[in-house]
Amino acid sequence: MFYHDRQLQYKVRVDKPNPAFARMLQQAIGGIEGEIRVCLQYLFQAWGSRGPEKYRNMLLETGTEKISHIEMLATAVALNLEGAPTSMQEEFANDKVVGAIMGGMDPRHILSSGMAALAADSNGVPFNGSWVVGSGNIVADMYANVAAETTGRVLATRLWHMTDDPGMKDFLSFLIARDTMHQNQWMAVIEENGGLRAMPVPNSFPQSEEVQGFNYAFVSTYIGSETTEGGRWTQGTSLDGQGEFHVEKAAPLGGIPKLAPPVPGAFAQKEQMTAVDSLIGTAAAKIEGTLSGSGGKPSTES
């Protein structure tokens, strides 16, 4: 079950409403770096969690906290829209360009939500559930969570930099702080499950089944003859301790792919079908010859 408190998790204050900033805040709600994404990601990971119960409980708690962050951001959007013009007449009269673009405001904040937040990004694109990662592998999920929190924190810091509103800076500072904790939280789970030695993920698949010689090779696709210059990924022991990094020049080992001719029902061009007609004719001739040799009766031999 889920419960709620009517009070916000942290104070949301807007000193100078700014409809353009309300639109920017939408990215932190419904964008790929936003709170809807991480909220659903952590909850779906929890609901499908198998193994130690502590991970399920932790994910449930953090996913639920993220609902609070969506609520605060939605409040911030609404507060920034207070005082925004609902009629464009005055805007057009004062400045046609400003009126035309509504000062950077999202028209849907008037047309669709009545001066409230939307489940969309800063361009008005609705939230996309395909961004939600829940693989059932605890380490794979934690790496996905770290990536989500790092890009979310980057976004929050950019929003912090783009506003001079003291209330908004304070609120965004809170979100930035929570992202700091959550990055560390997910990395702590990775450490608890083997850290770098948990790689390759999943570590339950036998590495003996991999194509040996390629599992720790940096494949250089550069056409020049020079040797790839040294990064950590080109030499020395691999980070999981299971192999040695080395460089392999890319080479075509697979031959030229050959596909069967198009089937009649695919309706390719006649010229493409020539090979198919030829095959059908050959098959028909073989059948006819078989029937002739058996006195016109079907052969029982395959």
Side-chain angles (χ1 to χ4, degrees), residues 99-176:
I101 63 173
M102 298 179 66
M105 183 179 177
D106 185 348
R108 289 193 63 216
H109 279 151
I110 297 173
L111 301 174
S112 301
S113 68
M115 314 296 272
L118 299 159
D121 67 13
S122 57
N123 285 325
V125 179
F127 172 75
N128 189 331
S130 67
W131 299 332
V132 173
V133 176
S135 71
N137 180 295
I138 187 66
V139 174
D141 285 349
M142 291 305 109
Y143 275 120
N145 294 352
V146 170
E149 290 288 347
T150 53
T151 54
R153 193 171 188 273
V154 168
L155 173 63
T157 57
R158 288 170 177 167
L159 288 167
W160 183 93
H161 181 70
M162 294 174 76
T163 182
D164 59 359
D165 185 283
M168 283 291 90
K169 276 193 177 292
D170 179 60
F171 162 57
L172 289 165
S173 293
F174 171 77
L175 293 184
I176 292 166

Side-chain angles (χ1 to χ4, degrees), residues 53-71:
E53 190 175 348
K54 63 181 180 179
Y55 298 129
R56 179 180 187 274
N57 295 338
M58 174 196 63
L59 285 161
L60 281 172
E61 293 200 48
T62 305
T64 304
E65 180 189 357
K66 291 296 183 177
I67 301 175
S68 303
H69 295 182
I70 300 168
E71 180 185 23

Side-chain angles (χ1 to χ4, degrees), residues 208-260:
S208 60
E209 297 295 327
E210 298 176 356
V211 175
Q212 303 302 306
F214 284 93
N215 42 6
Y216 293 100
F218 175 79
V219 175
S220 174
T221 56
Y222 175 55
I223 198 170
S225 59
E226 302 96 300
T227 303
T228 301
E229 295 200 2
R232 174 65 180 87
W233 57 91
T234 64
Q235 56 191 332
T237 303
S238 60
L239 296 179
D240 60 14
Q242 303 300 314
E244 292 291 319
F245 287 138
H246 61 283
V247 178
E248 291 279 349
K249 291 296 288 185
L253 305 178
I256 298 174
K258 292 187 179 296
L259 304 181

